[in-house]
Amino acid sequence: EQGLHHSVASSSADKDRVRRGNELLEESTEQAVAIFQDVLKDDSASPRDKESAAIGLAKAYGKLQMGDQLAAMMQDLRPFFLDIAKAKTAKIVKVVIDELSQVPGTLELQVRLCEEAIAWCKEHKRTFLRHRIQAKLAVVLYKKRDFAESLRLIASTMREIRKLEDKPLMMEIQLTESQVHYSLSNTPKAKASLTSARTLASSVYCPPALQAAIDLQAGILCADERDYRTAFSYFYESFESYASQKEDALALQSLKYMLLSKIMDNKAHEIDS
C-alpha cells in the first residue's frame, strides 16, 4: 500500500513538473528545457508524462532555434519509442520534425534526420510512421529544390499508401507533388495533382491547416492562368483559415496574394484601406 501511495505521489509530481515546464515555455524557455530533461531522465516517470515532456522539450528547442539538439533528441528517444504505442511515437516524431523545420538553415539536417528515422522505421517495421516521414522528406527535398529526388520519393510512397488507402496522407503528398510540378513550370501536372488532393479533401476529413494549404495552392494556379477573381476567393479562404489557426506568417502570405490578385485584376480600388 505504501509503494502504491509513493507511485501515485510520484506520478502526480511528474505531472506538476510537466505542467510547470509548459507554463515556462514562453517566459523562461531554458528553465522549461531543464524541467523536461529531468522528467525524461526520471525512470519513475510514467510513459504519459515522458511523452508530454518530450513534446514540450521539442517545442522548447524549436523556440530556442536549437536544431542540433532536436536531431539528437530523436536518437535519444529511440529506446522510449519501443516502449510506447506506435501512434504516440508518430505524434512525438511529427512534433520534432515540425519544430526543426521552423529553424532557419537546417534543410540538410532535416534531410539527415528524416533519412535516419526512415531507416529506423524499416528496421522496426513501423510502416505507418515511415510513410509520414517519407512525406515530410519529400517536402524538405522540395524546399531544397531537389525536385527530381522529391518526385521519386513521392512516386514510391504513393504506390505503397494507395494499397493501404491512407487518404489523409495521400492528400498531403498530392499537394507536395502539385507544388513540385509548379516549380518545374509543369502547370498541367500541378493542376492534376491538386485536383486529386481536392477530390480526396471533399470525401474525407481534411485538417484545417492542410485545407488552407490546398486553397493557397489552388489560388496560385488560378493566378498563373490569370483567373484573378477565382484566385482571390481561394486566397481569401486560405487567409481566413490560417488566421483562425493563429498561423500569422502563412495568413500574411495569403493576404499579400489577395491584394496582388485585386491589383492584377485592375480592381485595386476595391481594397479597403
Side-chain angles (χ1 to χ4, degrees), residues 46-84:
S46 71
R48 179 176 290 183
D49 291 331
K50 284 192 174 186
E51 178 198 342
S52 300
I55 289 170
L57 184 59
K59 288 179 178 176
Y61 282 152
K63 194 167 169 50
L64 294 168
Q65 309 266 282
M66 298 170 84
D68 290 334
Q69 282 82 347
L70 279 162
M73 207 182 141
M74 285 279 273
Q75 294 275 359
D76 297 340
L77 287 172
R78 284 181 182 182
F80 177 58
F81 289 157
L82 295 174
D83 291 336
I84 60 173

PDB file of all heavy atoms in Angstrom, residues 46-84:
ATOM      1  N   SER A  46       5.983   8.293 -15.510  1.00  0.00           N
ATOM      2  CA  SER A  46       5.102   7.454 -16.325  1.00  0.00           C
ATOM      3  C   SER A  46       5.339   7.725 -17.809  1.00  0.00           C
ATOM      4  O   SER A  46       5.783   8.817 -18.184  1.00  0.00           O
ATOM      5  CB  SER A  46       3.639   7.747 -15.988  1.00  0.00           C
ATOM      6  OG  SER A  46       3.275   9.037 -16.478  1.00  0.00           O
ATOM      7  N   PRO A  47       5.021   6.744 -18.677  1.00  0.00           N
ATOM      8  CA  PRO A  47       5.169   6.961 -20.132  1.00  0.00           C
ATOM      9  C   PRO A  47       4.392   8.188 -20.616  1.00  0.00           C
ATOM     10  O   PRO A  47       4.865   8.923 -21.484  1.00  0.00           O
ATOM     11  CB  PRO A  47       4.607   5.673 -20.729  1.00  0.00           C
ATOM     12  CG  PRO A  47       4.818   4.637 -19.670  1.00  0.00           C
ATOM     13  CD  PRO A  47       4.624   5.357 -18.375  1.00  0.00           C
ATOM     14  N   ARG A  48       3.208   8.421 -20.025  1.00  0.00           N
ATOM     15  CA  ARG A  48       2.395   9.571 -20.450  1.00  0.00           C
ATOM     16  C   ARG A  48       3.106  10.891 -20.130  1.00  0.00           C
ATOM     17  O   ARG A  48       3.120  11.815 -20.946  1.00  0.00           O
ATOM     18  CB  ARG A  48       1.028   9.527 -19.754  1.00  0.00           C
ATOM     19  CG  ARG A  48       0.130  10.711 -20.132  1.00  0.00           C
ATOM     20  CD  ARG A  48      -1.239  10.587 -19.504  1.00  0.00           C
ATOM     21  NE  ARG A  48      -2.020   9.516 -20.106  1.00  0.00           N
ATOM     22  CZ  ARG A  48      -3.272   9.243 -19.766  1.00  0.00           C
ATOM     23  NH1 ARG A  48      -3.876   9.938 -18.827  1.00  0.00           N
ATOM     24  NH2 ARG A  48      -3.925   8.261 -20.359  1.00  0.00           N
ATOM     25  N   ASP A  49       3.700  10.964 -18.910  1.00  0.00           N
ATOM     26  CA  ASP A  49       4.416  12.190 -18.538  1.00  0.00           C
ATOM     27  C   ASP A  49       5.661  12.374 -19.398  1.00  0.00           C
ATOM     28  O   ASP A  49       6.016  13.496 -19.771  1.00  0.00           O
ATOM     29  CB  ASP A  49       4.793  12.155 -17.053  1.00  0.00           C
ATOM     30  CG  ASP A  49       3.569  12.276 -16.146  1.00  0.00           C
ATOM     31  OD1 ASP A  49       2.597  12.904 -16.581  1.00  0.00           O
ATOM     32  OD2 ASP A  49       3.588  11.718 -15.033  1.00  0.00           O
ATOM     33  N   LYS A  50       6.348  11.269 -19.704  1.00  0.00           N
ATOM     34  CA  LYS A  50       7.529  11.355 -20.563  1.00  0.00           C
ATOM     35  C   LYS A  50       7.149  11.800 -21.975  1.00  0.00           C
ATOM     36  O   LYS A  50       7.874  12.568 -22.614  1.00  0.00           O
ATOM     37  CB  LYS A  50       8.257  10.008 -20.603  1.00  0.00           C
ATOM     38  CG  LYS A  50       9.056   9.712 -19.340  1.00  0.00           C
ATOM     39  CD  LYS A  50       9.980   8.524 -19.540  1.00  0.00           C
ATOM     40  CE  LYS A  50      10.885   8.331 -18.337  1.00  0.00           C
ATOM     41  NZ  LYS A  50      11.894   7.290 -18.551  1.00  0.00           N
ATOM     42  N   GLU A  51       6.019  11.318 -22.445  1.00  0.00           N
ATOM     43  CA  GLU A  51       5.541  11.725 -23.774  1.00  0.00           C
ATOM     44  C   GLU A  51       5.290  13.235 -23.793  1.00  0.00           C
ATOM     45  O   GLU A  51       5.724  13.945 -24.713  1.00  0.00           O
ATOM     46  CB  GLU A  51       4.245  10.974 -24.109  1.00  0.00           C
ATOM     47  CG  GLU A  51       3.628  11.348 -25.448  1.00  0.00           C
ATOM     48  CD  GLU A  51       2.171  10.938 -25.556  1.00  0.00           C
ATOM     49  OE1 GLU A  51       1.713  10.084 -24.775  1.00  0.00           O
ATOM     50  OE2 GLU A  51       1.483  11.497 -26.433  1.00  0.00           O
ATOM     51  N   SER A  52       4.595  13.742 -22.755  1.00  0.00           N
ATOM     52  CA  SER A  52       4.324  15.182 -22.661  1.00  0.00           C
ATOM     53  C   SER A  52       5.618  15.977 -22.548  1.00  0.00           C
ATOM     54  O   SER A  52       5.758  17.051 -23.144  1.00  0.00           O
ATOM     55  CB  SER A  52       3.433  15.478 -21.445  1.00  0.00           C
ATOM     56  OG  SER A  52       2.203  14.801 -21.550  1.00  0.00           O
ATOM     57  N   ALA A  53       6.576  15.427 -21.776  1.00  0.00           N
ATOM     58  CA  ALA A  53       7.867  16.108 -21.605  1.00  0.00           C
ATOM     59  C   ALA A  53       8.638  16.149 -22.925  1.00  0.00           C
ATOM     60  O   ALA A  53       9.283  17.153 -23.247  1.00  0.00           O
ATOM     61  CB  ALA A  53       8.692  15.404 -20.534  1.00  0.00           C
ATOM     62  N   ALA A  54       8.573  15.060 -23.697  1.00  0.00           N
ATOM     63  CA  ALA A  54       9.273  15.004 -24.991  1.00  0.00           C
ATOM     64  C   ALA A  54       8.710  16.049 -25.954  1.00  0.00           C
ATOM     65  O   ALA A  54       9.468  16.758 -26.637  1.00  0.00           O
ATOM     66  CB  ALA A  54       9.149  13.610 -25.597  1.00  0.00           C
ATOM     67  N   ILE A  55       7.388  16.172 -25.983  1.00  0.00           N
ATOM     68  CA  ILE A  55       6.754  17.161 -26.860  1.00  0.00           C
ATOM     69  C   ILE A  55       7.111  18.577 -26.397  1.00  0.00           C
ATOM     70  O   ILE A  55       7.440  19.457 -27.207  1.00  0.00           O
ATOM     71  CB  ILE A  55       5.223  16.944 -26.898  1.00  0.00           C
ATOM     72  CG1 ILE A  55       4.906  15.664 -27.684  1.00  0.00           C
ATOM     73  CG2 ILE A  55       4.503  18.144 -27.516  1.00  0.00           C
ATOM     74  CD1 ILE A  55       3.470  15.207 -27.604  1.00  0.00           C
ATOM     75  N   GLY A  56       7.082  18.785 -25.066  1.00  0.00           N
ATOM     76  CA  GLY A  56       7.449  20.093 -24.514  1.00  0.00           C
ATOM     77  C   GLY A  56       8.891  20.447 -24.818  1.00  0.00           C
ATOM     78  O   GLY A  56       9.201  21.583 -25.194  1.00  0.00           O
ATOM     79  N   LEU A  57       9.796  19.463 -24.684  1.00  0.00           N
ATOM     80  CA  LEU A  57      11.222  19.695 -24.944  1.00  0.00           C
ATOM     81  C   LEU A  57      11.452  20.049 -26.418  1.00  0.00           C
ATOM     82  O   LEU A  57      12.234  20.959 -26.734  1.00  0.00           O
ATOM     83  CB  LEU A  57      12.036  18.460 -24.559  1.00  0.00           C
ATOM     84  CG  LEU A  57      13.558  18.576 -24.684  1.00  0.00           C
ATOM     85  CD1 LEU A  57      14.092  19.718 -23.816  1.00  0.00           C
ATOM     86  CD2 LEU A  57      14.238  17.261 -24.308  1.00  0.00           C
ATOM     87  N   ALA A  58      10.762  19.346 -27.321  1.00  0.00           N
ATOM     88  CA  ALA A  58      10.898  19.641 -28.758  1.00  0.00           C
ATOM     89  C   ALA A  58      10.450  21.069 -29.051  1.00  0.00           C
ATOM     90  O   ALA A  58      11.116  21.802 -29.795  1.00  0.00           O
ATOM     91  CB  ALA A  58      10.071  18.648 -29.576  1.00  0.00           C
ATOM     92  N   LYS A  59       9.341  21.490 -28.432  1.00  0.00           N
ATOM     93  CA  LYS A  59       8.846  22.860 -28.650  1.00  0.00           C
ATOM     94  C   LYS A  59       9.821  23.896 -28.076  1.00  0.00           C
ATOM     95  O   LYS A  59      10.031  24.961 -28.673  1.00  0.00           O
ATOM     96  CB  LYS A  59       7.460  23.022 -28.017  1.00  0.00           C
ATOM     97  CG  LYS A  59       6.374  22.277 -28.786  1.00  0.00           C
ATOM     98  CD  LYS A  59       5.010  22.431 -28.140  1.00  0.00           C
ATOM     99  CE  LYS A  59       3.943  21.717 -28.970  1.00  0.00           C
ATOM    100  NZ  LYS A  59       2.616  21.770 -28.327  1.00  0.00           N
ATOM    101  N   ALA A  60      10.422  23.554 -26.927  1.00  0.00           N
ATOM    102  CA  ALA A  60      11.391  24.473 -26.318  1.00  0.00           C
ATOM    103  C   ALA A  60      12.637  24.606 -27.188  1.00  0.00           C
ATOM    104  O   ALA A  60      13.122  25.717 -27.427  1.00  0.00           O
ATOM    105  CB  ALA A  60      11.764  23.957 -24.923  1.00  0.00           C
ATOM    106  N   TYR A  61      13.153  23.478 -27.674  1.00  0.00           N
ATOM    107  CA  TYR A  61      14.319  23.520 -28.568  1.00  0.00           C
ATOM    108  C   TYR A  61      13.993  24.314 -29.834  1.00  0.00           C
ATOM    109  O   TYR A  61      14.824  25.069 -30.348  1.00  0.00           O
ATOM    110  CB  TYR A  61      14.752  22.105 -28.949  1.00  0.00           C
ATOM    111  CG  TYR A  61      15.551  21.368 -27.892  1.00  0.00           C
ATOM    112  CD1 TYR A  61      15.522  19.973 -27.827  1.00  0.00           C
ATOM    113  CD2 TYR A  61      16.361  22.047 -26.983  1.00  0.00           C
ATOM    114  CE1 TYR A  61      16.265  19.277 -26.868  1.00  0.00           C
ATOM    115  CE2 TYR A  61      17.101  21.368 -26.026  1.00  0.00           C
ATOM    116  CZ  TYR A  61      17.051  19.979 -25.979  1.00  0.00           C
ATOM    117  OH  TYR A  61      17.778  19.298 -25.038  1.00  0.00           O
ATOM    118  N   GLY A  62      12.780  24.119 -30.352  1.00  0.00           N
ATOM    119  CA  GLY A  62      12.365  24.859 -31.542  1.00  0.00           C
ATOM    120  C   GLY A  62      12.338  26.352 -31.286  1.00  0.00           C
ATOM    121  O   GLY A  62      12.800  27.149 -32.102  1.00  0.00           O
ATOM    122  N   LYS A  63      11.801  26.728 -30.130  1.00  0.00           N
ATOM    123  CA  LYS A  63      11.720  28.152 -29.758  1.00  0.00           C
ATOM    124  C   LYS A  63      13.112  28.765 -29.618  1.00  0.00           C
ATOM    125  O   LYS A  63      13.328  29.924 -29.968  1.00  0.00           O
ATOM    126  CB  LYS A  63      10.947  28.269 -28.443  1.00  0.00           C
ATOM    127  CG  LYS A  63      10.488  29.673 -28.116  1.00  0.00           C
ATOM    128  CD  LYS A  63       9.491  29.645 -26.988  1.00  0.00           C
ATOM    129  CE  LYS A  63       9.189  31.014 -26.445  1.00  0.00           C
ATOM    130  NZ  LYS A  63       8.839  32.007 -27.450  1.00  0.00           N
ATOM    131  N   LEU A  64      14.048  27.952 -29.121  1.00  0.00           N
ATOM    132  CA  LEU A  64      15.421  28.424 -28.947  1.00  0.00           C
ATOM    133  C   LEU A  64      16.280  28.232 -30.210  1.00  0.00           C
ATOM    134  O   LEU A  64      17.481  28.497 -30.182  1.00  0.00           O
ATOM    135  CB  LEU A  64      16.079  27.685 -27.765  1.00  0.00           C
ATOM    136  CG  LEU A  64      15.491  27.972 -26.379  1.00  0.00           C
ATOM    137  CD1 LEU A  64      16.013  26.976 -25.361  1.00  0.00           C
ATOM    138  CD2 LEU A  64      15.792  29.401 -25.938  1.00  0.00           C
ATOM    139  N   GLN A  65      15.632  27.735 -31.289  1.00  0.00           N
ATOM    140  CA  GLN A  65      16.322  27.515 -32.576  1.00  0.00           C
ATOM    141  C   GLN A  65      17.495  26.543 -32.434  1.00  0.00           C
ATOM    142  O   GLN A  65      18.546  26.727 -33.053  1.00  0.00           O
ATOM    143  CB  GLN A  65      16.825  28.855 -33.150  1.00  0.00           C
ATOM    144  CG  GLN A  65      15.770  29.945 -33.203  1.00  0.00           C
ATOM    145  CD  GLN A  65      15.050  30.039 -34.531  1.00  0.00           C
ATOM    146  OE1 GLN A  65      15.562  30.565 -35.492  1.00  0.00           O
ATOM    147  NE2 GLN A  65      13.844  29.512 -34.588  1.00  0.00           N
ATOM    148  N   MET A  66      17.323  25.507 -31.607  1.00  0.00           N
ATOM    149  CA  MET A  66      18.404  24.545 -31.345  1.00  0.00           C
ATOM    150  C   MET A  66      18.215  23.302 -32.219  1.00  0.00           C
ATOM    151  O   MET A  66      17.742  22.254 -31.767  1.00  0.00           O
ATOM    152  CB  MET A  66      18.430  24.195 -29.850  1.00  0.00           C
ATOM    153  CG  MET A  66      18.723  25.408 -28.968  1.00  0.00           C
ATOM    154  SD  MET A  66      18.479  25.135 -27.183  1.00  0.00           S
ATOM    155  CE  MET A  66      20.035  24.397 -26.732  1.00  0.00           C
ATOM    156  N   GLY A  67      18.613  23.435 -33.470  1.00  0.00           N
ATOM    157  CA  GLY A  67      18.417  22.362 -34.441  1.00  0.00           C
ATOM    158  C   GLY A  67      19.167  21.084 -34.095  1.00  0.00           C
ATOM    159  O   GLY A  67      18.623  19.986 -34.195  1.00  0.00           O
ATOM    160  N   ASP A  68      20.435  21.215 -33.696  1.00  0.00           N
ATOM    161  CA  ASP A  68      21.240  20.027 -33.388  1.00  0.00           C
ATOM    162  C   ASP A  68      20.651  19.240 -32.223  1.00  0.00           C
ATOM    163  O   ASP A  68      20.663  18.005 -32.221  1.00  0.00           O
ATOM    164  CB  ASP A  68      22.688  20.428 -33.057  1.00  0.00           C
ATOM    165  CG  ASP A  68      23.436  20.918 -34.294  1.00  0.00           C
ATOM    166  OD1 ASP A  68      23.058  20.508 -35.412  1.00  0.00           O
ATOM    167  OD2 ASP A  68      24.387  21.708 -34.146  1.00  0.00           O
ATOM    168  N   GLN A  69      20.130  19.962 -31.228  1.00  0.00           N
ATOM    169  CA  GLN A  69      19.522  19.285 -30.073  1.00  0.00           C
ATOM    170  C   GLN A  69      18.248  18.549 -30.473  1.00  0.00           C
ATOM    171  O   GLN A  69      17.960  17.475 -29.942  1.00  0.00           O
ATOM    172  CB  GLN A  69      19.223  20.294 -28.954  1.00  0.00           C
ATOM    173  CG  GLN A  69      20.449  20.703 -28.149  1.00  0.00           C
ATOM    174  CD  GLN A  69      21.271  21.795 -28.819  1.00  0.00           C
ATOM    175  OE1 GLN A  69      21.063  22.094 -30.002  1.00  0.00           O
ATOM    176  NE2 GLN A  69      22.211  22.368 -28.093  1.00  0.00           N
ATOM    177  N   LEU A  70      17.495  19.120 -31.391  1.00  0.00           N
ATOM    178  CA  LEU A  70      16.283  18.447 -31.885  1.00  0.00           C
ATOM    179  C   LEU A  70      16.654  17.141 -32.587  1.00  0.00           C
ATOM    180  O   LEU A  70      16.001  16.111 -32.397  1.00  0.00           O
ATOM    181  CB  LEU A  70      15.507  19.360 -32.840  1.00  0.00           C
ATOM    182  CG  LEU A  70      14.610  20.413 -32.175  1.00  0.00           C
ATOM    183  CD1 LEU A  70      14.249  21.503 -33.163  1.00  0.00           C
ATOM    184  CD2 LEU A  70      13.341  19.765 -31.621  1.00  0.00           C
ATOM    185  N   ALA A  71      17.716  17.196 -33.395  1.00  0.00           N
ATOM    186  CA  ALA A  71      18.155  15.994 -34.110  1.00  0.00           C
ATOM    187  C   ALA A  71      18.658  14.939 -33.123  1.00  0.00           C
ATOM    188  O   ALA A  71      18.332  13.747 -33.247  1.00  0.00           O
ATOM    189  CB  ALA A  71      19.254  16.356 -35.105  1.00  0.00           C
ATOM    190  N   ALA A  72      19.426  15.375 -32.121  1.00  0.00           N
ATOM    191  CA  ALA A  72      19.957  14.438 -31.122  1.00  0.00           C
ATOM    192  C   ALA A  72      18.831  13.802 -30.306  1.00  0.00           C
ATOM    193  O   ALA A  72      18.904  12.634 -29.913  1.00  0.00           O
ATOM    194  CB  ALA A  72      20.922  15.172 -30.192  1.00  0.00           C
ATOM    195  N   MET A  73      17.781  14.587 -30.092  1.00  0.00           N
ATOM    196  CA  MET A  73      16.626  14.117 -29.322  1.00  0.00           C
ATOM    197  C   MET A  73      15.998  12.876 -29.938  1.00  0.00           C
ATOM    198  O   MET A  73      15.585  11.946 -29.241  1.00  0.00           O
ATOM    199  CB  MET A  73      15.607  15.264 -29.318  1.00  0.00           C
ATOM    200  CG  MET A  73      14.691  15.273 -28.149  1.00  0.00           C
ATOM    201  SD  MET A  73      13.543  16.649 -28.339  1.00  0.00           S
ATOM    202  CE  MET A  73      12.099  15.828 -27.716  1.00  0.00           C
ATOM    203  N   MET A  74      15.927  12.865 -31.273  1.00  0.00           N
ATOM    204  CA  MET A  74      15.336  11.717 -31.968  1.00  0.00           C
ATOM    205  C   MET A  74      16.135  10.445 -31.691  1.00  0.00           C
ATOM    206  O   MET A  74      15.563   9.358 -31.539  1.00  0.00           O
ATOM    207  CB  MET A  74      15.294  11.995 -33.477  1.00  0.00           C
ATOM    208  CG  MET A  74      14.220  12.968 -33.866  1.00  0.00           C
ATOM    209  SD  MET A  74      12.586  12.238 -33.994  1.00  0.00           S
ATOM    210  CE  MET A  74      12.644  11.670 -35.675  1.00  0.00           C
ATOM    211  N   GLN A  75      17.446  10.573 -31.635  1.00  0.00           N
ATOM    212  CA  GLN A  75      18.315   9.432 -31.317  1.00  0.00           C
ATOM    213  C   GLN A  75      18.094   8.985 -29.863  1.00  0.00           C
ATOM    214  O   GLN A  75      17.910   7.809 -29.584  1.00  0.00           O
ATOM    215  CB  GLN A  75      19.793   9.821 -31.499  1.00  0.00           C
ATOM    216  CG  GLN A  75      20.194  10.126 -32.928  1.00  0.00           C
ATOM    217  CD  GLN A  75      20.568   8.872 -33.699  1.00  0.00           C
ATOM    218  OE1 GLN A  75      20.540   7.776 -33.168  1.00  0.00           O
ATOM    219  NE2 GLN A  75      20.900   9.049 -34.966  1.00  0.00           N
ATOM    220  N   ASP A  76      18.092   9.970 -28.955  1.00  0.00           N
ATOM    221  CA  ASP A  76      17.988   9.680 -27.526  1.00  0.00           C
ATOM    222  C   ASP A  76      16.660   9.011 -27.162  1.00  0.00           C
ATOM    223  O   ASP A  76      16.608   8.216 -26.214  1.00  0.00           O
ATOM    224  CB  ASP A  76      18.146  10.966 -26.697  1.00  0.00           C
ATOM    225  CG  ASP A  76      19.520  11.602 -26.876  1.00  0.00           C
ATOM    226  OD1 ASP A  76      20.445  10.885 -27.318  1.00  0.00           O
ATOM    227  OD2 ASP A  76      19.661  12.808 -26.584  1.00  0.00           O
ATOM    228  N   LEU A  77      15.606   9.348 -27.892  1.00  0.00           N
ATOM    229  CA  LEU A  77      14.275   8.843 -27.551  1.00  0.00           C
ATOM    230  C   LEU A  77      13.964   7.461 -28.140  1.00  0.00           C
ATOM    231  O   LEU A  77      12.930   6.880 -27.829  1.00  0.00           O
ATOM    232  CB  LEU A  77      13.199   9.834 -28.020  1.00  0.00           C
ATOM    233  CG  LEU A  77      13.073  11.138 -27.219  1.00  0.00           C
ATOM    234  CD1 LEU A  77      12.116  12.097 -27.917  1.00  0.00           C
ATOM    235  CD2 LEU A  77      12.588  10.863 -25.801  1.00  0.00           C
ATOM    236  N   ARG A  78      14.851   6.940 -28.970  1.00  0.00           N
ATOM    237  CA  ARG A  78      14.549   5.664 -29.644  1.00  0.00           C
ATOM    238  C   ARG A  78      14.208   4.517 -28.691  1.00  0.00           C
ATOM    239  O   ARG A  78      13.240   3.791 -28.938  1.00  0.00           O
ATOM    240  CB  ARG A  78      15.696   5.278 -30.582  1.00  0.00           C
ATOM    241  CG  ARG A  78      15.667   6.100 -31.858  1.00  0.00           C
ATOM    242  CD  ARG A  78      16.785   5.718 -32.796  1.00  0.00           C
ATOM    243  NE  ARG A  78      16.770   6.551 -33.990  1.00  0.00           N
ATOM    244  CZ  ARG A  78      17.614   6.417 -34.997  1.00  0.00           C
ATOM    245  NH1 ARG A  78      18.547   5.469 -34.945  1.00  0.00           N
ATOM    246  NH2 ARG A  78      17.537   7.207 -36.052  1.00  0.00           N
ATOM    247  N   PRO A  79      14.959   4.319 -27.590  1.00  0.00           N
ATOM    248  CA  PRO A  79      14.565   3.242 -26.658  1.00  0.00           C
ATOM    249  C   PRO A  79      13.157   3.468 -26.086  1.00  0.00           C
ATOM    250  O   PRO A  79      12.396   2.507 -25.912  1.00  0.00           O
ATOM    251  CB  PRO A  79      15.628   3.322 -25.553  1.00  0.00           C
ATOM    252  CG  PRO A  79      16.796   3.999 -26.190  1.00  0.00           C
ATOM    253  CD  PRO A  79      16.206   4.975 -27.158  1.00  0.00           C
ATOM    254  N   PHE A  80      12.826   4.728 -25.809  1.00  0.00           N
ATOM    255  CA  PHE A  80      11.499   5.072 -25.288  1.00  0.00           C
ATOM    256  C   PHE A  80      10.413   4.759 -26.319  1.00  0.00           C
ATOM    257  O   PHE A  80       9.333   4.262 -25.975  1.00  0.00           O
ATOM    258  CB  PHE A  80      11.473   6.550 -24.898  1.00  0.00           C
ATOM    259  CG  PHE A  80      10.137   7.060 -24.409  1.00  0.00           C
ATOM    260  CD1 PHE A  80       9.505   6.480 -23.318  1.00  0.00           C
ATOM    261  CD2 PHE A  80       9.513   8.125 -25.041  1.00  0.00           C
ATOM    262  CE1 PHE A  80       8.279   6.950 -22.863  1.00  0.00           C
ATOM    263  CE2 PHE A  80       8.289   8.609 -24.600  1.00  0.00           C
ATOM    264  CZ  PHE A  80       7.670   8.020 -23.506  1.00  0.00           C
ATOM    265  N   PHE A  81      10.708   5.032 -27.601  1.00  0.00           N
ATOM    266  CA  PHE A  81       9.736   4.770 -28.664  1.00  0.00           C
ATOM    267  C   PHE A  81       9.320   3.298 -28.720  1.00  0.00           C
ATOM    268  O   PHE A  81       8.194   2.977 -29.094  1.00  0.00           O
ATOM    269  CB  PHE A  81      10.296   5.186 -30.034  1.00  0.00           C
ATOM    270  CG  PHE A  81      10.415   6.676 -30.232  1.00  0.00           C
ATOM    271  CD1 PHE A  81      11.303   7.205 -31.166  1.00  0.00           C
ATOM    272  CD2 PHE A  81       9.638   7.563 -29.497  1.00  0.00           C
ATOM    273  CE1 PHE A  81      11.406   8.577 -31.355  1.00  0.00           C
ATOM    274  CE2 PHE A  81       9.740   8.936 -29.682  1.00  0.00           C
ATOM    275  CZ  PHE A  81      10.633   9.445 -30.612  1.00  0.00           C
ATOM    276  N   LEU A  82      10.243   2.407 -28.372  1.00  0.00           N
ATOM    277  CA  LEU A  82       9.947   0.973 -28.420  1.00  0.00           C
ATOM    278  C   LEU A  82       9.034   0.534 -27.280  1.00  0.00           C
ATOM    279  O   LEU A  82       8.450  -0.541 -27.324  1.00  0.00           O
ATOM    280  CB  LEU A  82      11.252   0.165 -28.387  1.00  0.00           C
ATOM    281  CG  LEU A  82      12.177   0.354 -29.599  1.00  0.00           C
ATOM    282  CD1 LEU A  82      13.489  -0.377 -29.391  1.00  0.00           C
ATOM    283  CD2 LEU A  82      11.496  -0.109 -30.884  1.00  0.00           C
ATOM    284  N   ASP A  83       8.895   1.405 -26.262  1.00  0.00           N
ATOM    285  CA  ASP A  83       8.077   1.060 -25.095  1.00  0.00           C
ATOM    286  C   ASP A  83       6.675   1.657 -25.129  1.00  0.00           C
ATOM    287  O   ASP A  83       5.839   1.342 -24.286  1.00  0.00           O
ATOM    288  CB  ASP A  83       8.766   1.542 -23.798  1.00  0.00           C
ATOM    289  CG  ASP A  83      10.029   0.761 -23.502  1.00  0.00           C
ATOM    290  OD1 ASP A  83      10.144  -0.382 -23.979  1.00  0.00           O
ATOM    291  OD2 ASP A  83      10.913   1.309 -22.804  1.00  0.00           O
ATOM    292  N   ILE A  84       6.427   2.566 -26.075  1.00  0.00           N
ATOM    293  CA  ILE A  84       5.106   3.224 -26.107  1.00  0.00           C
ATOM    294  C   ILE A  84       4.367   2.869 -27.397  1.00  0.00           C
ATOM    295  O   ILE A  84       4.938   2.303 -28.325  1.00  0.00           O
ATOM    296  CB  ILE A  84       5.235   4.762 -25.973  1.00  0.00           C
ATOM    297  CG1 ILE A  84       6.087   5.358 -27.115  1.00  0.00           C
ATOM    298  CG2 ILE A  84       5.818   5.139 -24.624  1.00  0.00           C
ATOM    299  CD1 ILE A  84       6.114   6.887 -27.144  1.00  0.00           C
TER     300      ILE A  84
END
